[in-house]
Amino acid sequence: MPELASRAHMQNILPVVDAALKTSGCSLAELDAIAFTQAPGLIGALLVGTQFAKSMALALDKPLIAVHHMQAHVLANLICEEKPSFPFLCLTVSGGHTQIVLCESPLKMKVIGETIDDAAGEAFDKTAKILGLPYPGGPLIDKYAAGGDPKRFKFPEPQLQGLDFSFSGLKTSILYFLQNAGKSLAFKEEFTATEKERANFIKDNLADICASIQARIVSILLNKLKKASEETGIKDICIAGGVSANSALRKGFKESGEQYGWRTFIPSFEYCTDNAAMIAITGYYKFLNKEFADLSVSPMARSIL
Ligand code: KG4
Ligand code: ZN
């Protein structure tokens, strides 16, 4: 609900900035610059942040730095002690994006693969919705999958050439599978279950269904990452974005690293989902490079990396 999100930003921006300053023990005078998220995202929420940052920069006479949200997710990997060396690959998986990014330097990145339809986070959230779970469903699928058998149900892997991803076919097959109460992956009239049969099937098999869905999403992501590493010869590999908090992806990613000789990097849990530290570290690199914005800068709902 974009309108509610904008209002929540208006209500929270002052207390949040205030709390951040207090917690860090940093005064306004000590700040070197003001970095903010310019794009992409919900335009109302971005407008609140942009206007606030501009006002702060103007009032304090500090430089203003515009940050791209997806670039910031990648650079969250540079916050921790142990950092990847350039060039590295990053699989960025969030609610709106699924990308493989070739990162040559903090500010030089190229998207070499991305989703042609749904993002990985959407695949989690939309299938969770079909299962009757609330939004955001990703963390809940992760939670219920813990006690399930990931090999029990076999969902299809899309046969897409190159490094691009597709998740819409998986979502459709899960929808049909549940409409048929687990009897078929394709829609079959003769297997159409009643509302009650479907609810019972989900209730009795929730852990195995969640584990099987999660295993397929993770294998789609890791197979493409393996291909990207083979094609580029790059073995320093990171993951980032909200879905990198997923326990099966984190485990599978580490195992792939051991199997293929990658050095693997995952931001600490709190830097995986949306956070302000990733905006700050991107601001830091832009500050070193003197990439400042002027007061005419506008937020953008959509923007390619
Ligand atoms: O990066 P993020 O916090 O926000 C966006 O920029 O989109 O990512 C949010 C996404 C949601 O789709 C959410 O379901 C997913 O990350 N997510 C997870 C987990 N934690 C968050 N998906 C699967 N397993 C998780 N543990
Ligand atoms: Zn994000």
Side-chain angles (χ1 to χ4, degrees), residues 40-41 69-70 73 92-97 119-126 128 134-143 214 217 240-250 269 271-275 278:
H69 183 86
M70 298 314 292
H73 267 307
T92 321
V93 271
S94 73
H97 292 80
E122 272 177 303
F124 273 108
D125 296 338
K126 287 182 178 174
Y135 180 87
L140 291 172
I141 292 198
D142 194 351
K143 181 177 143 198
Q214 179 172 272
I217 295 176
V243 181
S244 62
N246 181 269
S247 54
L249 179 60
R250 293 169 88 91
F269 205 72
Y271 302 136
C272 285
T273 47
D274 286 352
N275 66 88
M278 69 186 197

Side-chain angles (χ1 to χ4, degrees), residues 103-117:
C103 199
E104 289 172 27
S105 70
L107 303 180
K108 196 164 173 219
M109 303 183 180
K110 197 165 112 196
V111 178
I112 59 171
E114 63 189 323
T115 183
I116 59 165
D117 40 56

Side-chain angles (χ1 to χ4, degrees), residues 3 35 46 64 76 79-80 88 107 120 122 125 130 144 152 169 174 176 213 223 228 284-285 295 300:
E3 179 61 27
L46 292 174
L64 181 66
I79 297 176
C80 306
F88 64 80
L107 303 180
E122 272 177 303
D125 296 338
I130 304 174
Y144 293 122
R152 168 101 185 272
I174 293 165
Y176 290 157
I213 292 170
N223 285 343
Y284 166 74
Y285 285 109
L295 291 175
M300 289 179 292

Side-chain angles (χ1 to χ4, degrees), residues 132-287:
L133 302 173
Y135 180 87
L140 291 172
I141 292 198
D142 194 351
K143 181 177 143 198
Y144 293 122
D149 174 5
K151 296 207 174 92
R152 168 101 185 272
F153 303 112
K154 291 253 176 294
F155 296 111
E157 175 151 9
Q159 302 303 314
L160 201 64
Q161 297 297 310
L163 297 175
D164 286 341
F165 302 89
S166 168
F167 288 101
S168 65
L170 174 66
K171 182 188 64 195
T172 310
S173 70
I174 293 165
L175 181 70
Y176 290 157
F177 171 78
L178 293 171
Q179 278 177 347
N180 294 329
K183 294 192 185 71
S184 163
L185 281 176
F187 179 73
K188 296 238 165 73
E189 195 97 42
E190 65 271 29
F191 292 150
T192 311
T194 64
E195 207 56 58
K196 194 157 179 276
E197 283 169 332
R198 242 177 270 168
N200 281 341
F201 173 72
I202 293 174
K203 187 157 80 45
D204 296 342
N205 300 284
L206 187 62
D208 289 349
I209 297 171
C210 288
S212 303
I213 292 170
Q214 179 172 272
R216 177 51 80 215
I217 295 176
V218 168
S219 79
I220 293 173
L221 293 171
L222 292 180
N223 285 343
K224 290 287 178 173
L225 199 53
K226 173 172 176 262
K227 197 163 186 210
S229 170
E230 284 166 359
E231 284 182 13
T232 58
I234 295 174
K235 288 183 177 251
D236 267 26
I237 308 188
C238 311
I239 54 175
V243 181
S244 62
N246 181 269
S247 54
L249 179 60
R250 293 169 88 91
K251 184 163 171 271
F253 177 58
K254 288 271 172 215
E255 285 167 2
S256 296
E258 281 158 26
Q259 198 176 347
Y260 308 124
W262 303 342
R263 291 207 310 153
T264 53
F265 302 86
I266 311 178
S268 324
F269 205 72
E270 65 270 30
Y271 302 136
C272 285
T273 47
D274 286 352
N275 66 88
M278 69 186 197
I279 307 301
I281 190 138
T282 309
Y284 166 74
Y285 285 109
K286 289 193 145 191
F287 181 82

Side-chain angles (χ1 to χ4, degrees), residues 9-67:
H9 272 66
M10 298 256 284
Q11 279 165 354
N12 287 303
I13 197 154
L14 259 173
V16 163
V17 171
D18 203 37
L21 287 166
K22 285 204 177 97
T23 311
S24 64
C26 194
S27 70
L28 282 176
E30 283 172 284
L31 300 179
D32 293 306
I34 312 294
F36 70 98
T37 307
Q38 183 194 10
L42 291 175
I43 194 67
L46 292 174
L47 263 169
V48 174
T50 306
Q51 288 310 115
F52 190 88
K54 280 190 201 181
S55 312
M56 238 178 130
L58 185 66
L60 299 170
D61 195 22
K62 309 267 183 194
L64 181 66
I65 301 174
V67 171

